[in-house]
Amino acid sequence: MNFNLSKEPIVIQDVIDKVIKRNAGAVTTFIGTVREMTKGKKTLFLVYEAYEPMAIKKLEQIGAEIKERWPDAETAITHRVGKLDITDVAVVIAVSTPHRNDAYEANRYAIERIKEIVPIWKKEHWEDGETWVGNQLETVPYPTGKPKEGDIRD
Amino acid sequence: MIKVLLFAQLRDELGKETISIEANGWSVAELKGKMKAEYQLGGLETVMTAVNEEFADDDTILSDGDTVAFIPPVSGG
């Protein structure tokens, strides 16, 4: 199972181990963590919620899209759900490829797609209230298609 | 019956996670209209819709037994 949701803290090495293969010359790992300050506002903790069966399907779809673009890539993604404290790991994406450039690019592709098509929501709990965060990219998602070249942000 | 799933702010707004609606043969757009009229659910113009766990557009026709999920803008990662 390369694509998971986890109610427990993510063991980063376990995600990496899933993409290790003899023909890989590079493994990139993206670790998304819970940030304390956002635009001057202090987050106390977060709650992630998912539409679980569909979220797993969409993570698998991202894996398939990466396979199409980078046929030798191996991808594994685990996203956390539930209550997370500051510095906790929210998501781990591991990608292996024969050469480093593809591993960086494919990993970047995966996180951008997560923010577009995977039904996971975060509720920020601030010192003075709470709010569901939506549309971090401030773009319309691409439910059926793929992001255009210019949509992968830097 | 159609099963409707609500998440994040939509669930908080309605106060429940699921509702069942007699909507056989309706389009997604008609279902959204009903949700707005009957439950005063706001912001449905900006949510995506999934039918049986796959994204669907407003013209998709619903059948008994379908599960419809309204997907507010996502914020994973």
Side-chain angles (χ1 to χ4, degrees):
Chain A
M1 285 283 289
N2 277 23
F3 303 93
N4 301 91
L5 300 175
S6 175
K7 293 183 175 68
E8 306 300 323
I10 300 169
V11 180
I12 295 165
Q13 189 61 47
D14 288 354
V15 183
I16 296 171
D17 287 346
K18 292 176 187 174
V19 303
I20 299 296
K21 53 182 196 179
R22 295 182 70 86
N23 232 354
V27 179
T28 52
T29 309
F30 174 83
I31 303 166
T33 55
V34 179
R35 176 180 57 240
E36 183 166 53
M37 300 302 293
T38 299
K39 291 176 184 162
K41 221 172 167 186
K42 189 175 180 179
T43 299
L44 301 178
F45 64 93
L46 294 182
V47 177
Y48 277 105
E49 166 186 324
Y51 178 16
E52 297 194 7
M54 183 171 170
I56 290 167
K57 276 190 191 174
K58 292 290 131 186
L59 291 174
E60 288 168 347
Q61 178 185 325
I62 293 169
E65 290 175 7
I66 287 174
K67 251 321 192 226
E68 249 173 57
R69 287 157 182 251
W70 297 276
D72 296 323
E74 209 59 59
T75 305
I77 305 173
T78 301
H79 201 296
R80 184 82 188 275
V81 289
K83 178 175 180 283
L84 278 78
D85 293 312
I86 306 305
T87 76
D88 280 355
V89 174
V91 62
V92 175
I93 303 167
V95 179
S96 71
T97 58
H99 301 282
R100 68 184 178 281
N101 193 47
D102 287 349
Y104 277 114
E105 283 184 9
N107 199 306
R108 182 60 191 271
Y109 179 87
I111 186 65
E112 300 302 334
R113 286 297 270 161
I114 286 172
K115 289 171 181 290
E116 290 172 344
I117 65 164
V118 181
I120 296 176
W121 302 272
K122 95 178 153 185
K123 192 177 206 176
E124 294 256 13
H125 291 256
W126 318 97
E127 286 170 306
D128 58 349
E130 55 187 49
T131 181
W132 286 102
V133 178
N135 206 2
Q136 292 174 304
L137 292 176
E138 295 176 351
T139 57
V140 178
Y142 309 87
T144 50
K146 300 176 171 65
K148 293 173 224 109
E149 242 9 70
D151 290 328
I152 304 290
R153 291 202 170 26
D154 42 34
Chain B
M1 297 292 270
I2 310 288
K3 189 175 177 190
V4 179
L5 306 180
L6 298 149
F7 296 96
Q9 60 267 42
L10 292 176
R11 187 208 41 236
D12 287 358
E13 205 180 319
L14 197 70
K16 25 181 151 173
E17 289 175 24
T18 63
I19 50 174
S20 290
I21 292 190
E22 202 62 71
N24 188 36
W26 291 16
S27 68
V28 165
E30 287 172 312
L31 178 64
K32 282 185 178 177
K34 169 89 169 176
M35 298 297 296
K36 200 173 171 181
E38 191 152 321
Y39 299 96
Q40 284 80 48
L41 207 56
L44 285 176
E45 300 78 14
T46 59
V47 308
M48 294 190 284
T49 307
V51 177
N52 303 327
E53 299 172 8
E54 197 47 70
F55 288 112
D57 58 30
D58 278 353
D59 301 331
T60 303
I61 301 297
L62 304 171
S63 314
D64 273 339
D66 282 349
T67 298
V68 175
F70 291 121
I71 315 259
V74 302
S75 49

